[in-house]
Amino acid sequence: MAAFAPRVIGTAGHIDHGKTSLVRALTGIDTDRLKEEKERGITIELGFAHLDLGAEGIPDPVGVVDVPGHERFIRAMVAGAVGIDVVVLVVAADEGVMPQTREHLDVCRLLDLRRGVVALTKADLVDPELRELAIDDVRAALKGSFLEDAPILPVSSTTGEGIPALRRALADAIREAPAKDPDGLLRLPLDRVFTMKGFGSVVTGTLWAGRLRAGDELQALPGATTGPVKGKVRGVQVHGRPVEEA
C-alpha cells in the first residue's frame, strides 16, 4: 500500500466569489464544462480537476471538486462536499462574507470536515485597508468553527498573487487531514450518472473508503422499488486515466 493515500480538496463559498477561477489558476483546468455555465457565468453542476503538489511535497495528484455557489444548487454543493478531505472556503475581498458563505460553512461543519484554508479572492480589486477589513470580517465569521485558526490568504486569479502561498497552505492541510480507509467497506457516493453509447452506465464520485477494481460486483443503495440494483465494474478511471484500482 502506498505510504500516502490520495486526497481530495473542495471549494465552498458564495456565488461569484471566484471559486472556479481559483481552481483554474491552481490547476489550469476549467471546471465549467456546460454551455449554460459559460453563457450565464455561474457554476451549475459539480466540476472536477486535479492538482499537482509535488513541488510542495505531496507525491500523489490531489483531486479537486468545484461546487456551485448559488443557493438553488445547494444539493449539488452537498454532493460535492461529501468525501473531501480539505475545504477551500472562498470569500471575495470586495464583498466579504455573504449568505452562501455561511451556508456552505454550515454544510462543511455538518459533514464533520476538520481541515481547510480560506482564500480571500479578488484581492487585486481592493486597497490594503479594505483587504484588512475583509480579513477581519472573515475571521469574525469563522469564530467557533473548525476554520477558526485556518490561514486566510489574499489571492488573485487574475494576477497570480498569493497562489504559491495557497498551494503551500493546501499541502500543509492535506498532510494533517485524516486518511481514508482503503481496506474498509467500499462506499462511493455518486455525484453524476450518465450513459455512454456502446459502453453503458457511467458513474462518478469520490471514494469514502474501500478499493474499486474492474470486475467487482456492486450494489446500489438504497436501490429501486422493484428490487436491488446491481452491476459489474467494466473499467475504472482516476482523473481521466485508466487504472487497475482506485
Side-chain angles (χ1 to χ4, degrees):
M1 184 171 64
F4 188 89
R7 303 297 174 86
V8 178
I9 65 176
T11 63
H14 196 76
I15 184 173
D16 201 31
H17 276 202
K19 295 185 294 299
T20 302
S21 296
L22 183 62
V23 171
R24 186 166 58 244
L26 284 168
T27 68
I29 298 171
D30 186 357
T31 55
D32 279 350
R33 65 189 185 281
L34 301 179
K35 178 182 177 182
E36 294 83 358
E37 292 176 319
K38 302 293 187 183
E39 291 176 347
R40 298 171 64 181
I42 64 172
T43 299
I44 298 172
E45 292 189 354
L46 296 174
F48 302 92
H50 53 276
L51 175 62
D52 182 0
L53 291 175
E56 288 73 25
I58 304 298
D60 296 314
V62 178
V64 181
V65 181
D66 183 33
V67 307
H70 196 285
E71 60 181 340
R72 293 184 180 179
F73 306 127
I74 189 64
R75 288 189 178 185
M77 183 273 165
V78 173
V82 169
I84 68 173
D85 302 296
V86 174
V87 63
V88 183
L89 183 66
V90 177
V91 183
D94 60 342
E95 287 194 344
V97 175
M98 296 290 281
Q100 267 57 63
T101 310
R102 300 182 186 277
E103 185 175 36
H104 284 198
L105 184 61
D106 285 342
V107 169
C108 293
R109 177 181 57 80
L110 291 169
L111 292 174
D112 198 27
L113 289 177
R114 302 178 185 178
R115 295 289 184 274
V117 301
V118 182
L120 191 70
T121 54
K122 306 185 183 183
D124 56 310
L125 300 183
V126 299
D127 59 34
E129 184 178 356
L130 285 177
R131 183 182 293 195
E132 290 303 316
L133 287 174
I135 292 174
D136 291 342
D137 180 40
V138 173
R139 187 63 73 194
L142 297 179
K143 189 174 182 179
S145 76
F146 71 100
L147 290 178
E148 182 174 11
D149 298 320
I152 301 175
L153 304 170
V155 298
S156 169
S157 301
T158 302
T159 68
E161 176 192 354
I163 298 299
L166 178 58
R167 291 173 60 91
R168 292 191 294 270
L170 286 171
D172 290 341
I174 287 169
R175 291 187 190 95
E176 297 174 358
K180 295 181 174 66
D181 182 6
D183 298 313
L185 177 68
L186 177 71
R187 290 184 293 167
L188 178 67
L190 305 184
D191 44 50
R192 282 196 295 158
V193 180
F194 54 95
T195 301
M196 292 184 64
K197 187 176 181 180
F199 190 85
S201 297
V202 179
V203 302
T204 69
T206 302
L207 277 172
W208 274 11
R211 301 173 185 268
L212 194 61
R213 306 175 181 88
D216 286 351
E217 293 186 356
L218 305 179
Q219 179 174 329
L221 298 174
T225 56
T226 55
V229 178
K230 298 182 179 181
K232 180 176 287 189
V233 179
R234 296 184 62 180
V236 181
Q237 291 189 359
V238 175
H239 304 315
R241 296 182 178 181
V243 295
E244 293 184 2
E245 176 185 87

